[in-house]
Amino acid sequence: MSLDNETITINKIVDIKDSLPKKQRKLCDYILKNYLSMGLITIKELADNAGVGISTVMRTINALGYENFNDLRKDIYDESVPSVSKWTLKKSLTEIPTEGEGVPTLVKVWKESVDLLEKSLDSNLFDNFGDAVDLIVKSSYINVLGTRPYKATSLYFEQLLGEFYPKIRQLSLDVDVVYDRILQLEKDEILVVFAFEPYTNLIIEAVKLTYEQGNRILLITDHISCPVISYASVTLKVEVSEEQFSIVPIIALLDALVIEIGKRSPEESINKLKKLEKTLQEKNITFSY
C-alpha cells in the first residue's frame, strides 16, 4: 500500500493496528476517522470518544513509538489529512433542503459532487493511479467485486472496460459462489474490490481469501481505516461526503482507469470498439440515421 509521504504517523497507525489487541485497534480506527479533531482534544476526551480506557490510549501511544500523548497529537494535527464519515445517504435525505427551503437540492448536490472530485484528486491518488493501471494490464484476468450500492460501480466498470478489454470477470452478481470463484483464480489474476463504509463481511472475507491465495488486490475505498487496506497491493482512495451520498468520485475514477487502460494499446482498443459499434448497428441494437 502506498500512502502520501506527508502522513507518516497515519501510515504507522495503519501498518500496526491489525497486530494490536482489540481495544487498541478500536482506538486506532477512531483516530484514523477523526484525525482532524485531534488538535485540541485531551487524552481523557480521546479515550471517552473512542470508548476505551486511558490505559489503552497510553499503551497504543507507546506501541506507536511515542512517550506521551501530546507528541502524538501534534504529529497527527500537523499532517492535516482530510476526514470523512459514513452513512451519508440517510443524512442527505434528511438534511438537504427541499424546494422552498433555501438552496435547491439540485444545486447543493451538484456543488458537493464537484467539491468531492476536487478533494479526491490528491497526490496520493495521482501517484497510485499509474500503479493501478500497471496492475490491471499486467494481470491475466481482472475479477471485480462490489456489494450493496457499490455493486453498481462494479457493474459499471465491467461494462465500460469490457467493451474493448475481454479479460474481466464480474463476481458481484452471485455472491453465494464468490468464494468458489476466488479459489479458482490463477496466480496472475487480480481482484478489483470496492470497499466503502459500512464495510460488509463478504468484502472483508473475500479480500482476505484472495490475499491468502497469493493473488494481488486493487482496493478502491473511502478511508485509510478500511479493514482490508493492509491486504491491498494498490489502494485508490476517494473522498466521501458528510452531507450527501454520492458515487461521483468513484465513477470519475473508473472512467479515468478505463481510458488509461485503453491508451496502453490504442490501436487494438479502437478496433474492438469500432467492431462492436458496427455489430450493434447491424443487429438493430443501437439506432443510426
Side-chain angles (χ1 to χ4, degrees):
M1 177 188 62
S2 174
L3 290 172
D4 197 336
N5 290 332
E6 296 180 357
T7 59
I8 298 173
T9 306
I10 299 301
N11 291 359
K12 189 184 299 184
I13 295 174
V14 172
D15 290 340
I16 76 165
K17 74 182 185 75
D18 288 339
S19 65
L20 298 176
K22 184 176 180 181
K23 288 186 178 180
Q24 293 184 48
R25 289 201 306 272
K26 181 180 179 181
L27 174 63
C28 287
D29 284 336
Y30 177 84
I31 293 173
L32 290 173
K33 295 175 186 176
N34 298 276
Y35 30 72
L36 274 187
S37 64
M38 291 287 290
L40 300 175
I41 198 171
T42 66
I43 189 170
K44 184 178 186 306
E45 289 171 336
L46 175 61
D48 291 344
N49 293 344
V52 299
I54 292 179
S55 60
T56 297
V57 177
M58 292 306 304
R59 284 193 291 270
T60 307
I61 290 171
N62 294 335
L64 291 169
Y66 290 90
E67 294 183 359
N68 60 74
F69 174 66
N70 287 337
D71 289 343
L72 172 65
R73 178 179 60 184
K74 182 179 183 301
D75 283 352
I76 292 177
Y77 182 74
D78 289 345
E79 288 169 5
S80 300
V81 182
S83 179
V84 286
S85 68
K86 63 178 178 178
W87 284 113
T88 52
L89 177 58
K90 180 179 179 181
K91 186 173 182 179
S92 66
L93 291 176
T94 57
E95 294 190 4
I96 294 178
T98 58
E99 185 176 357
E101 290 185 337
V103 180
T105 296
L106 178 61
V107 174
K108 185 176 177 65
V109 170
W110 212 271
K111 288 182 177 180
E112 180 70 13
S113 296
V114 172
D115 187 50
L116 286 175
L117 287 171
E118 293 292 337
K119 289 180 178 178
S120 294
L121 192 59
D122 59 13
S123 59
N124 182 44
L125 181 64
F126 187 82
D127 291 341
N128 289 347
F129 182 81
D131 294 337
V133 175
D134 288 339
L135 182 62
I136 289 173
V137 299
K138 292 177 182 179
S139 65
S140 64
Y141 236 92
I142 311 163
N143 299 272
V144 191
L145 178 62
T147 58
R148 297 182 62 79
Y150 306 100
K151 180 185 291 186
T153 59
S154 180
L155 293 171
Y156 177 78
F157 186 45
E158 179 202 19
Q159 177 66 38
L160 202 61
L161 183 59
E163 291 191 341
F164 65 88
Y165 197 85
K167 301 184 296 181
I168 185 167
R169 181 185 297 117
Q170 184 63 245
L171 302 185
S172 308
L173 294 176
D174 194 351
V175 295
D176 290 336
V177 295
V178 165
Y179 301 138
D180 308 52
R181 299 288 182 263
I182 291 174
L183 288 172
Q184 295 173 22
L185 298 184
E186 298 293 336
K187 184 177 180 180
D188 52 356
E189 293 187 37
I190 67 168
L191 177 67
V192 177
V193 63
F194 298 84
F196 288 77
E197 284 193 317
Y199 309 110
T200 63
N201 290 324
L202 174 65
I203 290 293
I204 294 172
E205 295 304 320
V207 168
K208 288 181 179 179
L209 181 59
T210 302
Y211 179 82
E212 290 168 359
Q213 288 207 145
N215 294 93
R216 304 187 74 187
I217 298 158
L218 168 56
L219 172 65
I220 301 175
T221 189
D222 50 357
H223 297 299
I224 56 175
S225 60
C226 174
V228 294
I229 200 167
S230 61
Y231 300 103
S233 301
V234 181
T235 298
L236 298 177
K237 187 181 79 68
V238 298
E239 289 291 316
V240 292
S241 173
E242 295 180 346
E243 303 300 325
Q244 68 184 49
F245 175 78
S246 176
I247 60 171
V248 169
I250 307 173
I251 295 300
L253 174 61
L254 296 180
D255 289 345
L257 283 173
V258 170
I259 292 170
E260 185 62 28
I261 293 167
K263 288 168 64 176
R264 295 293 181 95
S265 54
E267 184 175 351
E268 181 183 359
S269 300
I270 291 172
N271 287 338
K272 287 183 178 179
L273 287 171
K274 286 181 177 178
K275 184 177 180 180
L276 174 62
E277 181 181 18
K278 180 181 178 182
T279 301
L280 292 176
Q281 290 177 352
E282 290 175 348
K283 301 298 182 183
N284 292 321
I285 303 297
T286 57
F287 177 79
S288 61
Y289 290 96

